[in-house]
Amino acid sequence: MRTESANPIRIRDIDHVVLRVVDLEKMLSFYCGVLGCSVERREDEIGLIQLRAGSSLIDLVPIGGKRMISSSFAKALDGS
C-alpha cells in the first residue's frame, strides 16, 4: 500500500470529468434527481450536457454522439 509521501502527485481538486454514457436521459435523471446536480450548459449539436456538482463539472456525452476529441484518443477510450 502506498503512503501519501510516496506519491509525488497530489490532487487538490478536479475541475471536471467527461463521462461517455449509453443512456443520456437516465444519467441526467440520476445526476440531477438523485445527486442534486444542476445543468450548467448544453451543447445539443454534439449531445453534451454539462452538470454542476459543487465546484466541479461533469460532462455527459452519449457514446453514439459526435466526438469532441481526437480519433486516436477516442480509440484509446473505447479500447480499440
Coordinates of all heavy atoms in Angstrom, one line a residue:
M1 N 0.8 -1.2 0.0 CA 0.0 0.0 0.0 C 0.9 1.2 0.0 O 1.8 1.3 0.7 CB -0.9 0.0 1.2 CG -1.8 1.2 1.3 SD -2.9 1.0 2.7 CE -4.3 1.8 2.0
R2 N 0.5 2.2 -0.9 CA 1.3 3.4 -0.9 C 0.9 4.4 0.2 O -0.3 4.5 0.6 CB 1.0 4.1 -2.2 CG 1.8 3.6 -3.4 CD 1.6 4.5 -4.5 NE 2.6 4.2 -5.5 CZ 2.7 4.8 -6.7 NH1 1.9 5.7 -7.0 NH2 3.6 4.4 -7.5
T3 N 1.9 5.1 0.6 CA 1.6 6.2 1.6 C 1.6 7.5 0.8 O 2.1 7.6 -0.3 CB 2.7 6.3 2.7 OG1 3.9 6.6 2.1 CG2 2.8 4.9 3.5
E4 N 1.0 8.5 1.4 CA 0.9 9.8 0.7 C 2.3 10.4 0.4 O 2.5 10.9 -0.7 CB 0.2 10.8 1.6 CG -1.3 10.8 1.5 CD -2.0 11.9 2.2 OE1 -1.5 13.1 2.0 OE2 -2.9 11.7 3.0
S5 N 3.2 10.2 1.2 CA 4.6 10.7 1.0 C 5.3 10.0 -0.2 O 6.1 10.6 -0.8 CB 5.4 10.7 2.2 OG 5.6 9.3 2.6
A6 N 4.9 8.8 -0.5 CA 5.5 8.1 -1.6 C 4.9 8.5 -3.0 O 5.6 8.3 -4.0 CB 5.3 6.6 -1.5
N7 N 3.8 9.2 -3.0 CA 3.2 9.6 -4.2 C 3.6 11.1 -4.5 O 3.2 12.0 -3.7 CB 1.7 9.5 -4.1 CG 1.0 9.8 -5.4 OD1 1.6 10.2 -6.4 ND2 -0.3 9.6 -5.5
P8 N 4.3 11.4 -5.6 CA 4.8 12.7 -5.8 C 3.7 13.7 -6.4 O 3.8 14.9 -6.4 CB 5.9 12.5 -6.9 CG 5.5 11.3 -7.6 CD 4.8 10.4 -6.5
I9 N 2.5 13.1 -6.7 CA 1.4 13.9 -7.3 C 0.3 14.0 -6.2 O -0.1 13.0 -5.7 CB 0.9 13.2 -8.6 CG1 1.9 13.2 -9.6 CG2 -0.4 14.0 -9.0 CD1 1.5 12.4 -10.9
R10 N -0.1 15.2 -6.0 CA -1.2 15.4 -5.0 C -2.3 16.1 -5.7 O -2.1 17.2 -6.2 CB -0.7 16.3 -3.9 CG 0.3 15.5 -3.0 CD 0.1 16.0 -1.5 NE 0.7 15.1 -0.7 CZ 1.5 15.4 0.3 NH1 1.7 16.7 0.6 NH2 2.0 14.5 1.1
I11 N -3.4 15.5 -5.8 CA -4.6 16.1 -6.4 C -5.3 17.0 -5.4 O -5.7 16.5 -4.3 CB -5.6 15.0 -6.9 CG1 -4.9 14.2 -8.0 CG2 -6.9 15.7 -7.5 CD1 -5.7 13.0 -8.5
R12 N -5.4 18.3 -5.7 CA -6.2 19.2 -4.8 C -7.6 19.1 -5.0 O -8.4 19.1 -4.1 CB -5.7 20.6 -5.0 CG -4.3 20.9 -4.5 CD -4.0 22.4 -4.5 NE -4.6 23.0 -5.7 CZ -4.3 24.2 -6.1 NH1 -3.5 25.0 -5.4 NH2 -4.8 24.7 -7.2
D13 N -8.0 19.1 -6.3 CA -9.4 19.0 -6.7 C -9.5 18.7 -8.1 O -8.5 18.7 -8.8 CB -10.2 20.3 -6.3 CG -9.6 21.5 -7.0 OD1 -8.4 21.8 -7.0 OD2 -10.4 22.3 -7.5
I14 N -10.7 18.4 -8.6 CA -10.9 18.0 -10.0 C -11.8 19.0 -10.6 O -12.9 19.3 -10.1 CB -11.4 16.6 -10.2 CG1 -10.4 15.6 -9.7 CG2 -11.8 16.3 -11.6 CD1 -10.8 14.1 -9.7
D15 N -11.4 19.7 -11.7 CA -12.2 20.7 -12.4 C -13.4 20.0 -13.0 O -14.6 20.5 -12.8 CB -11.4 21.4 -13.4 CG -12.2 22.5 -14.1 OD1 -12.7 23.4 -13.4 OD2 -12.4 22.4 -15.3
H16 N -13.2 19.1 -13.9 CA -14.3 18.4 -14.5 C -13.9 17.0 -15.0 O -12.7 16.8 -15.2 CB -15.0 19.2 -15.6 CG -14.3 19.2 -16.9 ND1 -13.2 20.0 -17.2 CD2 -14.6 18.5 -18.0 CE1 -12.9 19.8 -18.4 NE2 -13.7 18.9 -19.0
V17 N -14.9 16.2 -15.2 CA -14.7 14.9 -15.8 C -15.7 14.7 -17.0 O -16.7 15.4 -17.0 CB -14.9 13.7 -14.8 CG1 -13.8 13.7 -13.8 CG2 -16.3 13.7 -14.2
V18 N -15.3 13.9 -18.0 CA -16.2 13.6 -19.1 C -16.6 12.2 -19.0 O -15.7 11.3 -19.0 CB -15.5 13.9 -20.4 CG1 -16.5 13.6 -21.6 CG2 -15.1 15.4 -20.5
L19 N -17.9 11.9 -19.0 CA -18.4 10.6 -19.0 C -19.2 10.3 -20.3 O -20.1 11.0 -20.6 CB -19.4 10.4 -17.8 CG -18.8 10.6 -16.4 CD1 -19.9 10.5 -15.3 CD2 -17.7 9.7 -16.1
R20 N -18.8 9.3 -21.0 CA -19.5 8.9 -22.2 C -20.5 7.8 -21.8 O -20.2 6.8 -21.2 CB -18.5 8.3 -23.2 CG -17.5 9.4 -23.6 CD -16.5 9.0 -24.6 NE -17.2 8.6 -25.9 CZ -16.9 7.6 -26.6 NH1 -15.8 6.9 -26.3 NH2 -17.5 7.4 -27.7
V21 N -21.7 8.1 -22.0 CA -22.9 7.3 -21.5 C -23.7 6.7 -22.6 O -23.8 7.2 -23.7 CB -23.7 8.2 -20.6 CG1 -22.9 8.8 -19.4 CG2 -24.4 9.3 -21.4
V22 N -24.3 5.6 -22.2 CA -25.2 4.9 -23.2 C -26.6 5.5 -23.2 O -27.1 5.8 -24.3 CB -25.4 3.4 -22.8 CG1 -26.4 2.7 -23.6 CG2 -24.0 2.7 -22.9
D23 N -27.1 5.9 -22.0 CA -28.5 6.5 -22.0 C -28.4 7.8 -21.3 O -28.3 7.9 -20.1 CB -29.4 5.5 -21.2 CG -30.8 6.0 -21.3 OD1 -31.1 7.2 -21.3 OD2 -31.7 5.1 -21.3
L24 N -28.3 8.9 -22.1 CA -28.1 10.2 -21.6 C -29.2 10.7 -20.6 O -29.0 11.2 -19.6 CB -28.0 11.2 -22.8 CG -27.6 12.6 -22.5 CD1 -26.3 12.7 -21.8 CD2 -27.6 13.5 -23.7
E25 N -30.5 10.3 -21.0 CA -31.6 10.8 -20.1 C -31.6 10.1 -18.8 O -31.9 10.7 -17.8 CB -32.9 10.5 -20.9 CG -33.2 11.4 -22.0 CD -33.0 12.9 -21.7 OE1 -33.6 13.3 -20.6 OE2 -32.4 13.6 -22.4
K26 N -31.2 8.8 -18.7 CA -31.1 8.1 -17.4 C -30.0 8.7 -16.6 O -30.2 8.8 -15.4 CB -30.9 6.6 -17.6 CG -32.1 5.8 -18.0 CD -31.8 4.3 -18.0 CE -33.1 3.6 -18.4 NZ -32.8 2.1 -18.6
M27 N -28.9 9.0 -17.2 CA -27.8 9.6 -16.4 C -28.2 11.0 -16.0 O -27.8 11.4 -14.8 CB -26.5 9.6 -17.3 CG -25.9 8.3 -17.6 SD -25.4 7.4 -16.1 CE -26.7 6.3 -15.8
L28 N -28.8 11.7 -16.8 CA -29.3 13.1 -16.4 C -30.2 13.0 -15.2 O -30.1 13.7 -14.2 CB -29.9 13.8 -17.6 CG -30.3 15.2 -17.4 CD1 -29.1 16.1 -17.1 CD2 -31.0 15.7 -18.7
S29 N -31.1 12.0 -15.3 CA -32.1 11.8 -14.2 C -31.4 11.4 -12.9 O -31.7 11.9 -11.8 CB -33.1 10.7 -14.6 OG -33.9 10.4 -13.5
F30 N -30.4 10.6 -13.0 CA -29.6 10.1 -11.8 C -28.8 11.3 -11.2 O -28.9 11.6 -10.0 CB -28.6 9.0 -12.2 CG -27.7 8.6 -11.0 CD1 -28.2 7.9 -9.9 CD2 -26.4 9.0 -11.1 CE1 -27.3 7.6 -8.9 CE2 -25.5 8.7 -10.0 CZ -26.0 8.0 -8.9
Y31 N -28.0 12.0 -12.0 CA -27.1 13.0 -11.5 C -27.9 14.2 -11.0 O -27.5 14.8 -10.0 CB -26.1 13.4 -12.6 CG -24.9 12.4 -12.6 CD1 -24.9 11.5 -13.6 CD2 -23.9 12.5 -11.7 CE1 -23.9 10.5 -13.7 CE2 -22.9 11.5 -11.7 CZ -22.9 10.6 -12.7 OH -21.9 9.7 -12.8
C32 N -29.0 14.6 -11.7 CA -29.8 15.7 -11.2 C -30.8 15.3 -10.1 O -30.9 16.0 -9.1 CB -30.5 16.4 -12.4 SG -29.4 17.2 -13.6
G33 N -31.5 14.2 -10.4 CA -32.6 13.8 -9.5 C -32.1 13.2 -8.2 O -32.6 13.5 -7.1
V34 N -31.1 12.4 -8.3 CA -30.6 11.7 -7.1 C -29.4 12.4 -6.4 O -29.4 12.6 -5.2 CB -30.1 10.2 -7.4 CG1 -29.5 9.5 -6.2 CG2 -31.3 9.4 -8.0
L35 N -28.4 12.9 -7.2 CA -27.3 13.6 -6.6 C -27.4 15.1 -6.4 O -26.6 15.7 -5.8 CB -26.0 13.2 -7.4 CG -25.6 11.7 -7.5 CD1 -24.4 11.6 -8.3 CD2 -25.5 11.1 -6.1
G36 N -28.5 15.6 -7.1 CA -28.7 17.1 -6.9 C -27.9 18.0 -7.8 O -27.8 19.2 -7.5
C37 N -27.3 17.5 -8.8 CA -26.5 18.3 -9.8 C -27.5 19.2 -10.5 O -28.7 18.9 -10.6 CB -25.7 17.5 -10.8 SG -24.5 16.4 -10.0
S38 N -27.0 20.3 -11.1 CA -27.8 21.1 -12.0 C -27.2 21.2 -13.4 O -26.0 21.1 -13.5 CB -28.0 22.5 -11.3 OG -26.7 23.1 -11.2
V39 N -28.0 21.5 -14.4 CA -27.5 21.6 -15.7 C -26.8 23.0 -15.8 O -27.4 24.0 -15.6 CB -28.6 21.5 -16.8 CG1 -28.1 21.8 -18.2 CG2 -29.2 20.1 -16.7
E40 N -25.5 23.0 -16.2 CA -24.7 24.2 -16.3 C -24.8 24.7 -17.8 O -25.0 25.9 -18.0 CB -23.3 23.9 -16.0 CG -22.3 25.0 -16.0 CD -22.3 25.8 -14.8 OE1 -22.9 25.5 -13.8 OE2 -21.6 26.9 -14.8
R41 N -24.7 23.8 -18.7 CA -24.9 24.2 -20.1 C -25.2 23.0 -21.0 O -24.9 21.8 -20.6 CB -23.7 25.0 -20.7 CG -22.5 24.2 -20.9 CD -21.3 25.0 -21.4 NE -20.2 24.2 -21.6 CZ -19.5 24.0 -22.7 NH1 -19.9 24.6 -23.8 NH2 -18.5 23.2 -22.8
R42 N -25.7 23.2 -22.2 CA -25.9 22.1 -23.1 C -25.3 22.5 -24.5 O -25.3 23.6 -24.9 CB -27.4 21.9 -23.4 CG -28.2 21.5 -22.1 CD -29.7 21.4 -22.4 NE -30.0 20.1 -23.1 CZ -30.6 19.1 -22.5 NH1 -31.0 19.2 -21.3 NH2 -30.8 18.0 -23.2
E43 N -24.7 21.5 -25.1 CA -24.2 21.6 -26.5 C -24.9 20.6 -27.3 O -24.4 19.5 -27.5 CB -22.7 21.4 -26.5 CG -21.9 22.5 -25.8 CD -21.9 23.8 -26.5 OE1 -22.1 23.8 -27.7 OE2 -21.6 24.8 -25.8
D44 N -26.2 20.9 -27.7 CA -27.0 19.9 -28.4 C -26.4 19.4 -29.7 O -26.7 18.2 -30.0 CB -28.4 20.5 -28.6 CG -29.2 20.8 -27.3 OD1 -28.9 20.0 -26.4 OD2 -29.9 21.7 -27.2
E45 N -25.6 20.1 -30.4 CA -25.1 19.6 -31.7 C -24.1 18.5 -31.5 O -24.0 17.6 -32.4 CB -24.4 20.8 -32.5 CG -23.2 21.3 -31.8 CD -22.6 22.5 -32.6 OE1 -23.4 23.2 -33.2 OE2 -21.4 22.6 -32.7
I46 N -23.5 18.4 -30.3 CA -22.7 17.2 -30.0 C -23.2 16.3 -28.9 O -22.6 15.3 -28.5 CB -21.2 17.6 -29.7 CG1 -21.2 18.5 -28.5 CG2 -20.5 18.2 -30.9 CD1 -19.8 18.8 -27.9
G47 N -24.4 16.7 -28.4 CA -25.1 15.9 -27.4 C -24.5 16.0 -26.0 O -24.9 15.3 -25.1
L48 N -23.7 17.0 -25.7 CA -23.1 17.2 -24.4 C -24.0 17.9 -23.5 O -24.7 18.9 -23.9 CB -21.8 18.1 -24.6 CG -21.2 18.5 -23.3 CD1 -19.8 18.0 -23.2 CD2 -21.2 20.0 -23.1
I49 N -24.1 17.4 -22.3 CA -24.8 18.1 -21.2 C -23.8 18.3 -20.1 O -23.2 17.3 -19.6 CB -26.0 17.4 -20.7 CG1 -27.1 17.3 -21.8 CG2 -26.7 18.1 -19.5 CD1 -28.3 16.5 -21.5
Q50 N -23.5 19.5 -19.6 CA -22.6 19.8 -18.6 C -23.3 20.0 -17.3 O -24.2 20.9 -17.2 CB -21.7 20.9 -19.0 CG -20.5 21.1 -18.0 CD -19.6 22.2 -18.6 OE1 -19.9 23.4 -18.6 NE2 -18.4 21.8 -19.0
L51 N -23.0 19.3 -16.2 CA -23.6 19.4 -15.0 C -22.7 20.0 -13.9 O -21.5 19.8 -13.9 CB -24.1 18.0 -14.5 CG -24.9 17.2 -15.4 CD1 -25.2 15.8 -14.8 CD2 -26.2 17.9 -15.7
R52 N -23.3 20.8 -13.1 CA -22.6 21.4 -11.9 C -22.7 20.5 -10.7 O -23.8 20.1 -10.4 CB -23.1 22.8 -11.6 CG -22.6 23.4 -10.3 CD -21.2 23.8 -10.4 NE -20.8 24.7 -11.4 CZ -19.5 24.9 -11.7 NH1 -18.5 24.4 -11.0 NH2 -19.2 25.7 -12.8
A53 N -21.6 20.1 -10.2 CA -21.5 19.2 -9.0 C -20.6 19.9 -8.0 O -19.4 19.7 -7.9 CB -21.0 17.8 -9.4
G54 N -21.2 20.8 -7.2 CA -20.4 21.6 -6.3 C -19.5 22.5 -7.1 O -19.9 23.2 -7.9
S55 N -18.2 22.4 -6.8 CA -17.2 23.2 -7.6 C -16.7 22.5 -8.8 O -15.9 23.1 -9.5 CB -16.0 23.6 -6.7 OG -15.3 22.5 -6.3
S56 N -17.2 21.3 -9.1 CA -16.7 20.6 -10.2 C -17.8 20.5 -11.3 O -19.0 20.8 -11.0 CB -16.4 19.1 -9.8 OG -15.3 19.2 -8.8
L57 N -17.4 20.1 -12.5 CA -18.3 19.9 -13.6 C -18.3 18.4 -14.1 O -17.2 17.8 -14.0 CB -18.0 20.8 -14.8 CG -18.1 22.3 -14.5 CD1 -17.5 23.1 -15.6 CD2 -19.6 22.7 -14.3
I58 N -19.4 17.9 -14.5 CA -19.5 16.6 -15.0 C -20.1 16.7 -16.4 O -21.2 17.2 -16.6 CB -20.4 15.6 -14.2 CG1 -19.8 15.5 -12.8 CG2 -20.5 14.3 -14.9 CD1 -20.8 14.8 -11.8
D59 N -19.4 16.3 -17.5 CA -19.8 16.4 -18.8 C -20.4 15.0 -19.2 O -19.7 14.0 -19.1 CB -18.7 16.7 -19.8 CG -18.2 18.1 -19.7 OD1 -18.8 18.9 -18.9 OD2 -17.2 18.4 -20.4
L60 N -21.7 14.9 -19.6 CA -22.3 13.7 -20.1 C -22.3 13.8 -21.6 O -22.9 14.7 -22.1 CB -23.7 13.6 -19.5 CG -23.8 13.5 -18.0 CD1 -25.3 13.4 -17.6 CD2 -23.0 12.4 -17.4
V61 N -21.8 12.8 -22.2 CA -21.7 12.8 -23.7 C -22.2 11.4 -24.2 O -21.6 10.4 -23.7 CB -20.3 13.0 -24.2 CG1 -20.3 13.0 -25.8 CG2 -19.8 14.4 -23.7
P62 N -23.2 11.3 -25.0 CA -23.6 10.0 -25.5 C -22.5 9.3 -26.3 O -21.8 9.9 -27.1 CB -24.9 10.3 -26.3 CG -24.8 11.7 -26.7 CD -23.9 12.4 -25.6
I63 N -22.4 8.0 -26.1 CA -21.4 7.2 -26.8 C -21.6 7.3 -28.3 O -20.7 7.4 -29.0 CB -21.5 5.7 -26.3 CG1 -20.8 5.6 -24.9 CG2 -20.7 4.8 -27.3 CD1 -20.8 4.3 -24.3
G64 N -22.9 7.3 -28.7 CA -23.1 7.3 -30.2 C -23.1 8.7 -30.8 O -23.3 8.9 -31.9
G65 N -22.8 9.7 -29.9 CA -22.8 11.1 -30.4 C -21.5 11.5 -31.1 O -20.6 10.7 -31.3
K66 N -21.5 12.8 -31.6 CA -20.3 13.3 -32.3 C -19.2 13.4 -31.3 O -19.3 13.6 -30.1 CB -20.6 14.7 -32.9 CG -21.6 14.6 -34.0 CD -21.8 16.0 -34.5 CE -22.8 16.1 -35.6 NZ -23.0 17.4 -36.1
R67 N -18.0 13.1 -31.8 CA -16.8 13.1 -31.0 C -16.3 14.6 -30.8 O -16.2 15.3 -31.7 CB -15.7 12.3 -31.6 CG -16.1 10.8 -31.7 CD -14.9 10.0 -31.4 NE -15.2 8.6 -31.7 CZ -15.5 7.7 -30.8 NH1 -15.6 8.0 -29.6 NH2 -15.7 6.5 -31.2
M68 N -15.8 14.9 -29.6 CA -15.2 16.2 -29.3 C -13.7 16.0 -29.2 O -13.0 17.0 -29.0 CB -15.7 16.7 -27.9 CG -17.2 16.8 -27.8 SD -17.6 17.5 -26.2 CE -16.9 16.3 -25.1
I69 N -13.2 14.8 -29.3 CA -11.8 14.6 -29.1 C -11.2 13.9 -30.3 O -11.9 13.5 -31.2 CB -11.6 13.7 -27.8 CG1 -12.4 12.4 -27.9 CG2 -11.9 14.5 -26.6 CD1 -12.2 11.5 -26.7
S70 N -9.9 13.9 -30.3 CA -9.2 13.3 -31.5 C -9.5 11.8 -31.6 O -9.8 11.1 -30.6 CB -7.7 13.4 -31.3 OG -7.2 12.5 -30.3
S71 N -9.5 11.3 -32.8 CA -9.9 9.9 -33.1 C -9.0 8.9 -32.4 O -9.4 7.9 -31.9 CB -10.0 9.6 -34.6 OG -8.7 9.9 -35.2
S72 N -7.7 9.2 -32.3 CA -6.7 8.3 -31.6 C -7.0 8.2 -30.1 O -7.0 7.2 -29.6 CB -5.3 8.7 -31.9 OG -5.0 10.0 -31.4
F73 N -7.3 9.4 -29.5 CA -7.7 9.4 -28.1 C -9.0 8.6 -27.9 O -9.1 7.9 -26.9 CB -7.7 10.8 -27.5 CG -7.9 10.8 -26.1 CD1 -6.9 10.3 -25.2 CD2 -9.0 11.4 -25.5 CE1 -7.1 10.4 -23.8 CE2 -9.2 11.5 -24.1 CZ -8.2 11.0 -23.3
A74 N -10.0 8.9 -28.8 CA -11.3 8.2 -28.7 C -11.1 6.7 -28.8 O -11.8 6.0 -28.0 CB -12.2 8.7 -29.7
K75 N -10.2 6.2 -29.6 CA -10.0 4.8 -29.8 C -9.4 4.2 -28.5 O -9.8 3.1 -28.1 CB -9.1 4.5 -30.9 CG -9.7 4.6 -32.3 CD -8.7 4.3 -33.4 CE -9.4 4.6 -34.7 NZ -8.5 4.4 -35.8
A76 N -8.5 5.0 -27.8 CA -8.0 4.5 -26.6 C -9.1 4.4 -25.5 O -9.1 3.5 -24.7 CB -6.9 5.5 -26.1
L77 N -10.0 5.4 -25.5 CA -11.1 5.3 -24.5 C -12.0 4.1 -24.8 O -12.5 3.5 -23.9 CB -11.9 6.6 -24.6 CG -11.2 7.9 -24.1 CD1 -12.1 9.1 -24.3 CD2 -10.9 7.7 -22.6
D78 N -12.2 3.9 -26.1 CA -13.1 2.8 -26.5 C -12.5 1.4 -26.3 O -13.1 0.4 -26.4 CB -13.6 2.9 -27.9 CG -14.6 4.1 -28.1 OD1 -15.2 4.5 -27.1 OD2 -14.7 4.5 -29.3
G79 N -11.2 1.4 -26.1 CA -10.4 0.1 -26.0 C -10.1 -0.5 -27.4 O -9.8 -1.7 -27.5
S80 N -10.2 0.3 -28.5 CA -10.0 -0.2 -29.8 C -8.5 -0.2 -30.1 O -7.7 0.6 -29.6 CB -10.7 0.7 -30.8 OG -12.0 0.9 -30.5

